[in-house]
Every structure is written in structure tokens, then in C-alpha cells.
Amino acid sequence: MAKKIKHKKKKQFDFSNKILKFLGKNPSKSYNYKQVAAQLEVVDTQGRNEIIKELKFLLSKTLIEEVELGKYRFVPKANYVEGHIDMTSKKTAYLVSEELEEDVFIPTNNLNKALDGDLVKAYIYNKRKGRKPEGEVVEVLERHRTQFVGVIDIQKNFAFVTTADAKMYTDIFIPKDKFLGAQPGDVVLVDLEDWPEKADSPFGKVVKVLGKQGEHNTEIHAILAEYGLPNEFPKEVEEFANKLDTSIQEEEVAKRRDMREVLTFTIDPKDAKDFDDALSFQTLENGNYEIGVHIADVSHYVREGTILDDEAFHRATSVYLVDRTVPMLPEVLSNFACSLRPHEDKYTFSAVFEMNAKGELVNSWFGRTVTHSDQRMAYEEAQYIIETQDRTIPESISITGEVQEISEEVAHAVLTMNTLAHILRQKRMKAGAISFDKVEVKFNLNSESEPVGVFFKEAKDANHLIEEFMLLANRKVSEFIGKQKKTFVYRIHDEPDQDKLFGLQAIISRFGHSLNFKSRDTISKSLNELLKNVQGKKEQNLVDTLAIRSMSKASYSTQNIGHYGLAFDYYSHFTSPIRRYPDVMAHRLLEFYLHGGNSVNAEEYETKCKHCSAMENLAANAERDSIKYMQVKYMQDQKDKAFTGVISGVTEWGIYVEIIENKCEGMVRIREIKEDYYVYDEKQYALIGQATHNTLQLGDTVVVSVKNADLVKKQLDFNYIQKLS
């Protein structure tokens, strides 16, 4: 008896949802029970009677209103909410909305054609005792994206495109006349055109054939296409850039501070092609140092209102994939006219600082300049000078591949500025800055862009030297404008979420580490101690990654809240306009205000800031995917080798293991661990063997081998061999 009542209630609840969904889509119209029944395809008398009862029930709950006898209309209520869909890999979703205190679960059958990221209107069911509220999408207001990348499966008169995205729960139907010449198994870019009411899959058309599945260029282009990032410039933009006059004109030089006679040099990665920044150094008569931070004057060439500026804004950032760079600006600018190459005069925008030997700032100057770089150095060369005090660079380190003699003046400048950089860094740390020196995974590539080795890039003194003076310029430029209370583009970073920090504490405690939550200062100090203590240990990459994830995301905004991670009250991005559009905006605004301009429209710039933050996020995701792809590609030929790794994640379906020697991460599925029957224990972040009571938990060292390397999904599956004590 109880079972029948339960079944009936469930049916009644579903009928109510369908009626509300229909009326909610047409809130201005009224309908009688026959019209409602027709829309719900109910034709039998019993079903129509059920609808009459449900209409009266909904009326009693004031969810609908009776506008005239027997005609009903939807009543907008607070339990209809607009928000974005956040899909899970299980084909369910959550509604994320500022109107809600917490995210609301949406079952698969209540998605009603909504996809990940879509802006939707949803009905939130009243919270019932012992259960959290659930939602149902009643209308898709705006698609988050309409283009998807996938593999095409061609049948006789139609095709389906299946994506590798775990959050895309449906394939896409392609009519025969919209294949665009694609062949079975091709990776394609498709436009989602329509999703008919009774269709299980959306309809689309192929707009670009990217190539054969698994081929290197195909997969890299697929990564870019997946995030809507371009891989080439429109022809008209290239032509516009190529016609620019990039020569140095005396008439323009006369408008600038001429610093060509001051010792100037660049320090960049060995393989760099664009040089955003240079440093100049001279000792003044009073014994203080004058240090110039000179930045490529991109805004001189990229003028507002041009197609070049429109393209740069649209891209907003350069994208750095493992085997290539997708630049924000055409090559004629990024690699030549705007690049501060050695022995060439360049237009620059500069922040010039007078500092004493104690690293104290005595004076600052900002403005447009013309400079001349006397020396190009790689980080390795500058590091060699710092470590050895020797200015004869051996061929193994030299950019040229031959022994290179660095001038005494440049070597002296590097050593002096390194001392000053140490002082600046110590001040930042003392003020509460967090030192995130996460190890970067890099690949040695052969001529075919195949990964043949993995190495790790670590920040050393030479990196910190450049970093500290770039930070100084960014901070002082934003402080100069911020204190005038004028609109500016800030780089902001909020304080970390306490819940995330408590989650981090729960994990790091398993490695014997802890955080001090007494105050903001103690949190910062203990975070720095944590990051220092894990260096060189098996859990370093895991802890570094989790610590970064516990932080808020940095973004661009006209609303200055300071930068928590750097411990700066004012901070902007000013030093990389070749590769970041916010820096171009900062240059324009600084120039405008230096000439007495009034504060610009904040709302207009806030919109631009949001776009730049969004594009930066897309670029970061694409860069991560390219690293995952290369890791999988590197590991696919390593199937006969056993690797030692650290358990970096534990879930109900298995463990994630990060290999110590190359930082590649893969999964051991729970069913593949044959030594026992393991069950997930959420409280312990562990899998527990039911017979042996063995545990596999975060931080444990295990031995694995490669079972499967899926280039398309960018996933590694491991075989479990054993746990090391």
C-alpha cells in the first residue's frame, strides 16, 4: 500500500513540473485544461482529469492564477531563478546563481536541453524535509557556446559528432548536406544550429575539418578550437600591420625622453622571440642607482579604433601551448617592431626609479622614452653571473652556443640589481606576500614536435631579479593613478576562502604540515612555510597545486581591492603589452592622465576587464590541455616501464597518481586493484581494502605502469603494481 502511494505522489509531482514548465515558457498567455493537455500530449480522459486536479493544486499553491473561468496563467515566483549550468561528468548538473545561497542540484531528466555554462531560467522545488532542493530548467536563455570539437561518425544519410568533453552529455546530429567534406574519424569543429523539441540530440553543421584523429597538428588545433581561440590572423589584420611605419622617426624621438645612451639589457628565456621588457642601470652622482623598467610601446602602433586594435582586444592575450605560441599581435609587431631586440632603437614606455643601496625608493618617473638594448641575455646566463661572479659565459649556457664575454658594466648591473631585488623580495614577504614558485613541467621536443624528454623549470635569482623590478613598475604605476582616484585597470586578487583553506589543512595534515589560522598574517606566514618545507619532497607538486587552488583567482577590474598574494594595496599589469591587452589599456590610460586627462568611464573599462579576464582563463585552460596532451603522448611509449608515483587524488572510482620523475598524472580505476576489494572512505580521503584493511590515501607512494594513453581525451590510465611503505 505504501509503495503505491509513493508511486502516485511521484507521478503527481512530475505532472506538476510539466504543467509549470509549459506555462512558465509562455507567462503572458492563459490556457484551459484542454490546451494544457494537448501540449502535454495527454489524450485520455483519466489523464485530462489528472491535469484538472493538478491545475487546482497549483492554483492553491499560488504557483498559477485563474485569469478567467477555467483559464490559467503562470505566476512568476521567487522560486524561479536565473543562473548558469555547471555540468558534472555524471550527466547531472548544478544551478549556480547569485540569487541562491548554495548551488542547486539538477537531475539529468530536468536539464531540458541545457548544456554546460548555459544561462537558464530554472524552477526550484520547495525544500522538503531531509532533502536538499532540486531544480528544473524551464528555459535556456543564452547558450554559453555554440561551437564544439569532436570526432565525426558518418552513416549513410547523416552523421553524429561526439566530443571528448566529459561535461557534454550528448552527441550532435549532422545532416548529410552539412558534412563539409569530412571523412569518417575526422576531428571537426561544428556549429550547434537547433535542438528540435522532440529530438534527442541537437542539430549542427561542420564548419571546419581539423584533420585526422590522433595526429599532432590536429589535436593542437582541436585544443584551440575547443576554447574558441584562433590559430591565425585574418588576412586584413596582417595586411594592416604590415603597412605600419615601424621606423624610428626623429620627430617622434623629440617628444620622448631619450635614454639610448644609458646601459640597457634584456633577460629572457633562451627561446624567447618577443622581448616586452628591458632594464637600464646607471649610478648617479649622489651614489644612488637609477633603474629603468622599459616596456615595449605597443600603444604607439596599436591605435584605438583600428582593426588591429579590435583583433588584439578580441584575443586579449597570447596563448602559450607546449609547441607553439599563438600571439596577440601579428609577427611584424610581436617579434620585430615592438620587441626590444639588441642593438636596435625602440619606442618604449618606461618607469624610471631612483633607489639607494638599502633598496629604498627615492624617486619615480613615468613616461614615453626611446631606448637601445646593449645586450640580450638568457636567464641561464644571468644566473651564471650571479652564482660565479664570472662574466665569461661557457658555451653550454650561452645563447650563441659559443663562449661569450659579457661586459663588465652589464655584469656589475646584474649583480647590483640582484642585491636590490633580494631586498625588495624580503620586504614583500615580510608584508605578507605568498611565494608561489611552482615547478613548471617542460618538454624537450624533436623536429617533429614529438616529446622526447621532460624537464622542470624552477625560478632562480635571475628570474626573481626580473620579477621584482616588473612588480615594482606594476605597483608604482597603479599607485600613481590610484591615489588620484581615477579609473584604471587593476590586477586584483581577493583573500582566500576560509573553507578552501580548511580543506587544504585537512589534506596537508596527512603529510605532517599545518596552517595557522589565527590572523591574516599568520595564514600568509604559514602558507609560505608550507611551500618552503615541501620543496624537494614527494608531495611538493601536489601541495603546491592544492595551495594555489585554495587561493582566489586573480582578475582584472576597475574596482581596486588590492592583491592578496603579492601583499600590494595597488597593482596593475603594465609590463607585457605584447602579450596582454590589459597592459595596452594601462599604457593608454597612464599617457592620458600624464597629460592631464580627466577620469575615464569606469563602466566601459570594467566591461573590457571582464572580457580580458575571461580570455585569460580560456588561454590558461588551453595551455593546461596542451601540457596534458604532451604528457599522454610522452607516456604512450613507456608502457613497459614501472614508475614510482604519489597518490594525488582519491575518489569513489579510483586513485589519481602523479609520477615523481615527470609529474605526469593518471588514474588507477578501483576495479583494477586486484589485491583486495577496495571501498572509498570520504572522511579519510582513502580507499580501504575490505579483507586486508590496507589503505590507499593521499600522499601514499605507489608503483604503477601505463595501461592506456588516450590522446583524444588527454587521459592516462595506470595499472596498479604495489604500495611502497
Side-chain angles (χ1 to χ4, degrees), residues 279 291 293 353-362 416-433 464-473 475-476 566-568:
L279 295 173
I291 296 167
V293 180
F353 303 109
E354 181 182 346
M355 302 180 74
N356 61 27
K358 296 179 181 178
E360 296 168 335
L361 193 60
V362 177
T416 304
M417 294 176 73
N418 179 57
T419 300
L420 295 172
H422 272 278
I423 296 171
L424 291 172
R425 187 174 175 84
Q426 286 170 2
K427 286 180 180 177
R428 279 201 305 115
M429 294 299 112
K430 190 174 181 181
H464 293 317
L465 186 162
I466 295 297
E467 178 187 29
E468 290 305 325
F469 284 102
M470 296 305 120
L471 291 177
L472 179 64
R475 176 165 62 100
K476 287 301 175 181
L566 294 172
F568 290 158

Side-chain angles (χ1 to χ4, degrees), residues 151 209 226 236 242 291 305 372 397 402 436 440 464 472 504 516 722:
V151 178
V209 179
E226 179 70 27
E236 61 271 21
N242 289 332
I291 296 167
H372 181 99
I397 294 174
E402 300 174 353
F436 286 115
E440 289 186 60
H464 293 317
L472 179 64
L504 175 64
N516 186 334
Q722 69 180 81

Side-chain angles (χ1 to χ4, degrees), residues 233-275:
F233 284 95
K235 186 179 179 182
E236 61 271 21
V237 174
E238 289 273 17
E239 289 175 350
F240 183 92
N242 289 332
K243 289 177 182 176
L244 290 171
D245 182 0
T246 58
S247 62
I248 303 298
Q249 302 288 328
E250 286 306 314
E251 184 181 349
E252 177 64 27
V253 170
K255 301 175 185 175
R256 298 167 176 263
R257 178 173 172 177
D258 191 342
M259 298 189 70
R260 287 177 289 186
E261 298 303 316
V262 183
L263 178 70
T264 303
F265 54 90
T266 61
I267 304 176
D268 290 281
K270 265 188 179 182
D271 57 355
K273 293 183 176 66
D274 59 334
F275 311 123

Side-chain angles (χ1 to χ4, degrees), residues 28-122:
S28 62
K29 296 180 180 179
S30 59
Y31 300 88
N32 60 34
Y33 81 92
K34 290 182 181 179
Q35 292 169 311
V36 173
Q39 285 294 326
L40 300 186
E41 298 181 343
V42 174
V43 295
D44 61 294
T45 302
Q46 184 180 350
R48 287 185 174 184
N49 288 336
E50 188 68 34
I51 286 176
I52 292 170
K53 284 166 56 178
E54 288 306 312
L55 287 168
K56 289 181 178 177
F57 170 75
L58 294 172
L59 184 64
S60 71
K61 296 293 184 182
T62 66
L63 295 172
I64 62 175
E65 61 182 348
E66 193 171 13
V67 292
E68 56 183 279
L69 187 63
K71 298 198 81 173
Y72 302 93
R73 184 172 63 189
F74 173 77
V75 176
K77 285 277 186 181
N79 46 350
Y80 283 87
V81 175
E82 287 188 12
H84 289 88
I85 293 295
D86 182 12
M87 291 295 304
T88 73
S89 58
K90 295 181 179 180
K91 299 184 181 181
T92 58
Y94 286 89
L95 180 72
V96 181
S97 174
E98 293 180 357
E99 300 177 46
L100 300 170
E101 291 183 4
E102 60 179 333
D103 299 344
V104 170
F105 178 73
I106 299 183
T108 307
N109 61 342
N110 284 355
L111 281 167
N112 294 320
K113 300 180 171 57
L115 300 173
D116 185 54
D118 286 353
L119 177 64
V120 301
K121 181 171 153 188

Side-chain angles (χ1 to χ4, degrees), residues 81 129 198 216 241 252 302 312 333 411 510 519 556 576 580 599 619 650 667-668 672:
V81 175
K129 190 174 181 180
K198 296 182 181 179
H216 177 78
E252 177 64 27
V302 182
L333 293 177
R510 303 187 176 279
S519 67
Y556 298 104
S576 293
R580 293 188 306 225
S599 186
V650 184
M667 166 167 268
V668 177
E672 301 294 333

Side-chain angles (χ1 to χ4, degrees), residues 675-693:
E675 64 182 21
D676 198 350
Y677 178 74
Y678 280 87
V679 173
Y680 176 56
D681 186 319
E682 189 175 359
K683 291 182 180 178
Q684 295 189 58
Y685 298 99
L687 298 183
I688 300 177
Q690 298 303 285
T692 62
H693 301 292

